Amino acid sequence: MGMVGGGLDAFIGAVHRRAAAFDNEIELVCGVFSQSPEKSKAAGHAFYLPEDRVYASFEEMIQREKELPEDVRMDFISIVTPNHMHFPPAKMALENGFHVICDKPMTLNLEEARELAEIVKKSGLVFGLTHNYTGYPMVKEARDMVRSGKLGAIRKVVVEYPQGWLSKFEEGNDYKQAIWRTDPTKSGAAGCMGDIGTHAENLAEYITGLKISELCADLTTFVPGRQLDDDGNVLLRFDNGAKGVLHASQISNGEENSLKIFVYGELGGLEWHQMEPNTLKFKSQEDQRIIRPKVNALSAAANAHVRVPAGHPEGFFEAFANIYRNFAFAVKAHMNGQQPDPLYDFPGVEDGVRGLAFIDTVITSSQSDEKWTKFIH
C-alpha cells in the first residue's frame, strides 16, 4: 500500500493504517503524507519507511513507483486526504495501473464522481470506498436478515446520525478537522450532510438493498459564521414504495457518534446502534430478541466478519479492518485472474457516486419550494 495523506497530525490516517495492518494482508511501503515535504519525510521516518519511498507529491509517488519492479512497487494507494484531494490521485493511480481505496465522500462533487466511475470501469481495477460502518458483523447480519425475507417487504427505514462536536464555531479555534470540514473548497457543497449524512444514506441502502428514489430535505446552518450546513432532516421514498426518515446533525449537543438505524418490514423490525455495535435487535408484535455476534451462530456473511469470541466487543477498528481485508482479498483475486468472493464485500465506486448524488439531491431539495425532488443519479 502507498498512502496519500494521513500525516502524523491526521486522525483518520492513523485509523486507516491500523485497519490495513490488522490482518497482515497489507504492508505500507511508501507514501506522501503531507503537502509539506518536510512533514511527509517526518511521517515516513515515524512509519519506518526508507527515505526513497517517501515522496513530495502523489504525482511523484505514482510515477516513481510505476518504474519499480512489479514485486517491489506498491499495488494500490489509500487516499485519506480532505475531500478536494480525493479525485486527482485516484484518477492518476487508476490510469497508471494501481488499485485504489479512498475515504468518503468519494470526490468533491458529482461530476468528478461520475468521471471516476468511468475511469474505474475502463481500467478494470479494484476500487474501494471506506464506508466503514458496513464492516460491522451485525450490520452484515441485518442485511442478510432483510435479504432472506425475515422482515418481509420493507415498509419504513429510520436512520439518524447525530453528533455534537460542531455545536460551537470550532473552525475559529485552529481546529484542523473543523476547519477543512466546514470549508466548501475542501469539503464540497455540503457540510454535515456530506460528512456524516452520506454514512446514514449508505447504511440505509446497504442493509435494505433498496435505493432512494425521491426525497424532501431541509438543511440548516445554526452556528453563525459557518459556511456549510450543520444540521439536516430528510424524508425519503425508496424504489419499492417504502418510506423513510434520515437526519444528520453536528450540533446535537452532547451526542458523540450516535449512528442508529431502524428497519421495519411487514413481518418484523430491526434496530442497530453504532455505539453498541455487538447488539442487533429483532422485534415484532409477537416477539423481541437480541442477536449477538457468535461465530457459526449467524449468517455466513456475518460469520466472515466476526473476529473475537462471544462476549468481547467488536468495534470501530475491527469494522474498518474488515473493509481493508476484503479489499485486499479482491486485489489478490484480480492479480490471480480470479473473481473475488462476494462474501467479503466492501463499498465501491457506485456507492461513491450515489453518495455524491445524495448530497446534490439534498441540496437541490432544501433550496426548492417543491415537496419532492427526484434522486439525481
Side-chain angles (χ1 to χ4, degrees), residues 329-358:
F329 287 168
V331 170
K332 281 186 175 182
H334 185 279
M335 291 174 171
N336 295 326
Q338 301 170 342
Q339 290 297 314
D341 186 339
L343 196 65
Y344 300 98
D345 67 308
F346 54 91
V349 71
E350 282 305 312
D351 297 280
V353 173
R354 286 195 67 80
L356 271 299
F358 173 74

Side-chain angles (χ1 to χ4, degrees), residues 64 76 82 107 125 137 166 195-196 320 336 346 353 360 363 373:
R64 291 266 301 276
F76 71 91
T107 56
L125 296 170
L166 287 177
D195 190 19
I196 59 175
F320 230 113
N336 295 326
F346 54 91
V353 173
D360 270 24
I363 291 172
T373 302

Side-chain angles (χ1 to χ4, degrees), residues 48-98:
Y48 304 103
L49 295 178
E51 289 186 8
D52 63 348
R53 303 291 292 276
V54 181
Y55 302 102
S57 69
F58 73 82
E59 294 94 342
E60 181 190 15
M61 182 178 79
I62 292 169
Q63 188 57 50
R64 291 266 301 276
E65 289 291 314
K66 187 179 178 180
E67 295 168 355
L68 294 175
E70 190 172 345
D71 62 340
V72 175
R73 68 185 180 215
M74 66 181 183
D75 296 306
F76 71 91
I77 68 167
S78 172
I79 303 171
V80 296
T81 60
N83 304 346
H84 72 297
M85 284 302 296
H86 289 180
F87 178 72
K91 178 178 185 292
M92 184 176 178
L94 290 163
E95 290 177 342
N96 283 274
F98 295 106

Side-chain angles (χ1 to χ4, degrees), residues 11-12 14-20 22-23 132 136 274 307 314-324:
F11 157 71
I12 203 65
V15 172
H16 281 258
R17 283 189 295 275
R18 290 167 186 160
F22 227 82
D23 295 284
N132 55 294
Y136 282 102
Q274 191 269 153
R307 293 176 170 274
E314 304 239 9
F316 181 75
F317 280 109
E318 287 87 348
F320 230 113
N322 283 335
I323 301 294
Y324 265 94

Side-chain angles (χ1 to χ4, degrees), residues 287-339:
D287 181 33
Q288 290 204 17
R289 59 191 174 94
I290 302 296
I291 305 168
R292 305 279 288 178
K294 295 181 180 180
V295 175
N296 299 324
L298 304 173
S299 65
N303 282 333
H305 297 84
V306 173
R307 293 176 170 274
V308 295
H312 298 278
E314 304 239 9
F316 181 75
F317 280 109
E318 287 87 348
F320 230 113
N322 283 335
I323 301 294
Y324 265 94
R325 181 198 62 180
N326 296 359
F327 176 81
F329 287 168
V331 170
K332 281 186 175 182
H334 185 279
M335 291 174 171
N336 295 326
Q338 301 170 342
Q339 290 297 314

Side-chain angles (χ1 to χ4, degrees), residues 163-183:
Q163 296 176 336
W165 73 289
L166 287 177
S167 295
K168 299 177 182 178
F169 191 67
E170 298 290 358
E171 54 266 51
N173 297 327
D174 198 30
Y175 188 174
K176 182 180 177 181
Q177 292 296 321
I179 290 170
W180 80 258
R181 291 177 194 275
T182 58
D183 180 351

